[in-house]
Amino acid sequence: MATYDYDIGIIGGGAAGLTVASGAAQLGARTLLIEKEKELGGDCLHFGCVPSKTLIRTAQVYHTMKNAQAFGLPAIEMPPVDFVKVKERIQSVIATIQEHDSEERFCSLGARVELGEPAFVDEHSIHLNGQRISSKNWVIASGSSPQIPPIEGLHKTHHITNKDIFSLDHLPASMIILGAGPIAAEMAQAFCRLGTKVHVVQRSGQILSKEDRDMADAVTQVLAAEGVIFHLNVAVLEVRDAGDGKEVRIQNKDEEVSTLKAEQILVAMGRSPNLEGLHLEEIGIEFDGKGIKVDKRMRTTQKHIYAAGDITGAYQFTHAAGYEGGIVVSNAIFHLPRKADYTFLPWCTYTDPELAGIGMNEKAAKDAGIEYTVFTETFKDNDRSLAEENKTGKIKMLLDKNEKPIGVQILGPQAGELLGEWIAVLNGKVKLSTLAAAVHPYPTLGEINKRVAGAYLSPKIFSDTVKKGLKFFFHLKGRACGSGEGR
Ligand SMILES: Cc1cc2nc3c(=O)[nH]c(=O)nc-3n(C[C@H](O)[C@H](O)[C@H](O)COP(=O)(O)OP(=O)(O)OC[C@H]3O[C@@H](n4cnc5c(N)ncnc54)[C@H](O)[C@@H]3O)c2cc1C
């Protein structure tokens, strides 16, 4: 039997790689974790989820202070934002979380951490820092990077991405964001709230293109009302440095050309897999521009080499990367043939209001040819939401033709948190009657979950048949007011 230096080698110390490393090492596998940067944690910790959510919170506080009058408080003249202080707060949150993702912690769990950029030399071995290292199994978890599309002039014009935006040395006076996905929408609102004049440029007529139109358009309206300027249905013709700012030439559907000018250009137009230097083509691993091809057990076209996280190009979320990392541990270490199932993978865009979802939205159901019915409740009918000055948003629950829930989307305050109940309901196959009957504390935002389940059940409970039955058995006398009865 062939002998190897390690049982499992992992390339990439982000959400996916760290999950595999911690699971495998704690189960007694001889584990090697390789990271090319100086610190573990990956994009989520250093340039993604953590800094973005920290910035969003700062912007939210500033926005609330500026809008103090809406809460019956005196108006305040707010001084401008010092982005260096904001940056310091972001760095301090990263540093606190970094301790959990430190080399020492992984060493204490039993995993060896090596820094560097490996290249495969055969199906079981890599070359790293002048050494040849072999492993029985490998996991490629090298993540993704911002995609820079081939727009005329973009490559030679200074622009920023998520790698730079959290460490700027001052707040830009103006910014053009190319793209309108979750990262673009979150950053547009946060920077606008902090005082930057923000333009969002998007090829299609909708932001957050995977979401249902009504939900995405509601986000657009909120952001536009706060001052974000949207340019939808436009093509970017050219980008150039005009000396005193950067210019983006755009063309609308009527072929009218106009030029936007700003201090910074943020490129948020999708992600590219980090494949460079790994030499995957030489060991027969299939990949394309989106990422590495995997089966449901996260195995690449070389069955002992797995891939997990953004590198597969599928569901580019930290929780998806962690989930896939767990699937790898089951298959590679436990030898349990566990398959990834994304039916109820939740997601959330952290604009204010947040837009969260699980399962199918209307767009996905239509694409899949599934018949569905939609039940909705609005936040303007939720007492807690009104008390907190949130009047925007709604919940949408989709049922299939057998009246089984197939998806839920929530646009509203703390939508990501509110989705938690649906994660349990959908994964646990909990009946809607159980959710509708369960007592929820008053007044909470969570009551909206109970109410939408109730909206489905109400017509059944209060039907004419039920009323007739009760009248027949218990001699109920009917309406006491309205419809001409009882008066
Ligand atoms: C601005 C922004 C906000 C986001 N917000 C959210 C959010 O709120 N919620 C959410 O779920 N997701 C969010 N995401 C997505 C999330 O960050 C990613 O889905 C997640 O980081 C993917 O984890 P990963 O392990 O696949 O990759 P990564 O976290 O990127 O880790 C990959 C690691 O591999 C290393 N690496 C790369 N190439 C090599 C190599 N050749 N050799 C060795 N090491 C290598 C990298 O340095 C990195 O440390 C956000 C992303 C961005 C950009």
Side-chain angles (χ1 to χ4, degrees):
M1 205 167 88
T3 55
Y4 303 104
D5 301 324
Y6 291 93
D7 295 314
I8 191 160
I10 302 142
I11 301 172
L18 294 178
T19 305
V20 181
S22 124
Q26 291 184 81
L27 287 168
R30 196 170 166 83
T31 304
L32 171 68
L33 174 62
I34 307 167
E35 169 56 50
K36 76 168 185 183
E37 300 292 343
K38 284 198 274 314
E39 285 170 321
L40 299 175
D43 240 31
C44 179
L45 176 58
H46 299 285
F47 313 106
C49 333
V50 173
S52 62
K53 269 76 248 180
T54 309
L55 178 80
I56 284 169
R57 178 72 181 132
T58 292
Q60 207 171 46
V61 172
Y62 191 64
H63 176 76
T64 308
M65 289 167 83
K66 280 196 287 185
N67 289 287
Q69 273 182 307
F71 297 87
L73 295 169
I76 334 167
E77 192 59 45
M78 293 295 293
V81 168
D82 176 357
F83 201 77
V84 174
K85 291 266 183 286
V86 176
K87 186 166 76 172
E88 279 168 14
R89 175 166 179 265
I90 292 172
Q91 287 312 319
S92 102
V93 174
I94 293 175
T96 308
I97 300 176
Q98 178 74 68
E99 285 167 28
H100 190 256
D101 290 349
S102 66
E103 213 177 306
E104 296 70 41
R105 181 169 165 266
F106 277 83
C107 183
S108 75
L109 295 176
R112 182 178 179 84
V113 177
E114 291 280 353
L115 301 182
E117 288 187 55
F120 278 97
V121 286
D122 65 39
E123 301 91 79
H124 282 281
S125 315
I126 54 144
H127 206 255
L128 177 73
N129 304 330
Q131 270 186 300
R132 190 184 175 108
I133 302 170
S134 65
S135 179
K136 186 171 176 221
N137 293 293
W138 284 99
V139 186
I140 306 168
S142 50
S144 66
S145 295
Q147 191 174 50
I148 309 300
I151 294 172
E152 179 74 37
L154 184 57
H155 280 270
K156 53 180 196 261
T157 306
H158 178 265
H159 54 265
I160 55 171
T161 66
N162 67 295
K163 293 244 163 176
D164 323 282
I165 196 159
F166 306 110
S167 49
L168 297 172
D169 56 14
H170 67 277
L171 184 76
S174 51
M175 181 156 65
I176 299 164
I177 303 181
L178 302 182
I183 297 170
E186 290 178 2
M187 291 303 98
Q189 186 178 42
F191 275 87
C192 178
R193 285 181 163 189
L194 292 174
T196 300
K197 181 175 179 183
V198 177
H199 293 266
V200 172
V201 175
Q202 161 82 332
R203 178 185 291 272
S204 75
Q206 182 193 316
I207 70 163
L208 304 171
S209 53
K210 289 186 183 156
E211 303 287 352
D212 284 344
R213 177 112 209 186
D214 56 336
M215 303 300 242
D217 283 356
V219 176
T220 308
Q221 279 162 22
V222 173
L223 268 58
E226 289 184 14
V228 176
I229 305 157
F230 287 94
H231 306 270
L232 304 180
N233 282 316
V234 299
V236 179
L237 300 180
E238 191 190 358
V239 172
R240 74 176 197 106
D241 198 331
D244 58 344
K246 280 111 197 165
E247 286 184 351
V248 176
R249 218 152 55 83
I250 54 172
Q251 185 178 42
N252 69 16
K253 286 222 156 138
D254 300 324
E255 301 201 341
E256 291 161 348
V257 175
S258 54
T259 303
L260 309 174
K261 192 169 185 178
E263 183 184 334
Q264 291 284 8
I265 295 175
L266 171 67
V267 182
M269 298 180 86
R271 312 281 302 170
S272 292
N274 293 331
L275 296 164
E276 233 177 75
L278 294 172
H279 294 185
L280 300 184
E281 54 289 330
E282 284 161 36
I283 54 161
I285 291 187
E286 279 179 33
F287 58 87
D288 60 20
K290 285 189 169 169
I292 297 178
K293 200 173 144 192
V294 286
D295 64 11
K296 287 187 172 165
R297 290 165 65 180
M298 308 313 298
R299 297 176 302 183
T300 67
T301 37
Q302 286 284 0
K303 299 292 177 221
H304 65 286
I305 304 182
Y306 296 78
D310 277 15
I311 192 69
T312 68
Y315 298 90
Q316 295 185 315
F317 304 114
T318 294
H319 47 278
Y323 171 65
E324 291 167 356
I327 299 282
V328 171
V329 173
S330 292
N331 284 290
I333 309 298
F334 274 116
H335 297 274
L336 289 175
R338 203 173 137 213
K339 292 179 180 170
D341 177 357
Y342 300 100
T343 313
F344 292 129
L345 183 85
W347 70 95
C348 184
T349 299
Y350 299 88
T351 43
D352 176 10
E354 293 179 356
L355 177 47
I358 182 168
M360 288 197 172
N361 57 17
E362 291 193 67
K363 206 174 249 187
K366 275 182 195 141
D367 287 350
I370 291 175
E371 270 178 52
Y372 64 88
T373 0
V374 185
F375 291 83
T376 61
E377 282 292 315
T378 61
F379 278 96
K380 68 178 168 42
D381 295 322
N382 176 283
D383 295 359
R384 180 60 179 273
S385 192
L386 291 177
E388 301 202 342
E389 204 52 37
N390 297 308
K391 293 174 193 130
T392 312
K394 63 180 175 187
I395 182 169
K396 280 179 29 175
M397 176 181 75
L398 269 68
L399 304 188
D400 67 9
K401 62 176 194 283
N402 300 319
E403 304 193 334
K404 289 245 160 57
I406 53 169
V408 172
Q409 291 84 52
I410 309 176
L411 171 74
Q414 298 185 45
E417 304 294 336
L418 294 176
L419 201 68
E421 194 165 24
W422 292 102
I423 295 171
V425 165
L426 293 174
N427 284 289
K429 297 187 172 49
V430 176
K431 285 186 175 159
L432 287 178
S433 55
T434 307
L435 175 60
V439 179
H440 286 57
Y442 175 84
T444 53
L445 299 170
E447 285 179 290
I448 201 163
N449 292 338
K450 175 184 164 76
R451 281 187 69 142
V452 79
Y456 152 72
L457 292 165
S458 288
K460 296 183 192 305
I461 296 168
F462 303 115
S463 70
D464 284 346
T465 319
V466 172
K467 277 192 273 188
K468 273 182 197 152
L470 290 173
K471 190 174 182 181
F472 178 78
F473 287 112
F474 304 115
H475 312 293
L476 301 185
K477 294 193 184 70
R479 298 181 68 99
C481 186
S483 299
E485 289 178 47
R487 282 190 185 256

